[in-house]
Amino acid sequence: MVNRIHDIGIARQIGTYSDAVEAPANARWLITAGTPGLDASGKVPPDVGAQAELAWTHILAMLERADMSVHDLVKVTQYLLRPSDIAAYAEVRARHLGSARPASLLLIVPALVRPEFLLEIEAYAAKA
């Protein structure tokens, strides 16, 4: 990982992310759109765990195409519809991120663009 982590102690009190992540000078950036848990045929699983699995799989595929990995993630923003889905979502997120600790924001929102979407994830990655 070439990104410097600035830990001031807040993030570790809440979850597995970093307080701030500094991207290297002259880095290449990858910025994803909001990525839902939608499969290649356009189907959306009914539960948040399966949607999270698909969304993170898509994020990892985008990183790979850019010759990047989860360790190049600088920031992720996650949008969930229901507070009750946080634990199931966090389990999938942790499995996909492993030891990577991007800066992170999780929001509970009233709706997403399609009513069957239970979550969307956007990601920012940088690599020198």
Side-chain angles (χ1 to χ4, degrees), residues 66 107 123:
L107 299 163

Side-chain angles (χ1 to χ4, degrees), residues 33-121:
T35 304
L38 178 72
D39 74 16
S41 71
K43 292 181 183 167
V44 179
D47 66 281
V48 75
Q51 287 191 27
E53 190 67 42
L54 282 169
W56 275 108
T57 298
H58 298 322
I59 298 285
L60 295 177
M62 288 183 255
L63 289 167
E64 185 178 328
R65 284 187 181 196
D67 190 33
M68 295 180 176
S69 78
V70 294
H71 295 286
D72 296 308
L73 286 170
V74 175
K75 171 87 186 313
V76 292
T77 304
Q78 300 116 134
Y79 303 88
L80 296 178
L81 291 184
R82 304 178 302 223
S84 60
D85 288 336
I86 292 172
Y89 170 75
E91 179 183 319
V92 175
R93 179 188 186 275
R95 190 169 10 85
H96 283 281
L97 289 184
S99 65
R101 296 290 180 264
S104 179
L105 175 66
L106 184 130
L107 299 163
I108 303 300
V109 297
L112 294 166
V113 71
R114 286 180 40 185
E116 67 270 33
F117 291 170
L118 299 176
L119 64 88
E120 283 193 51
I121 304 165

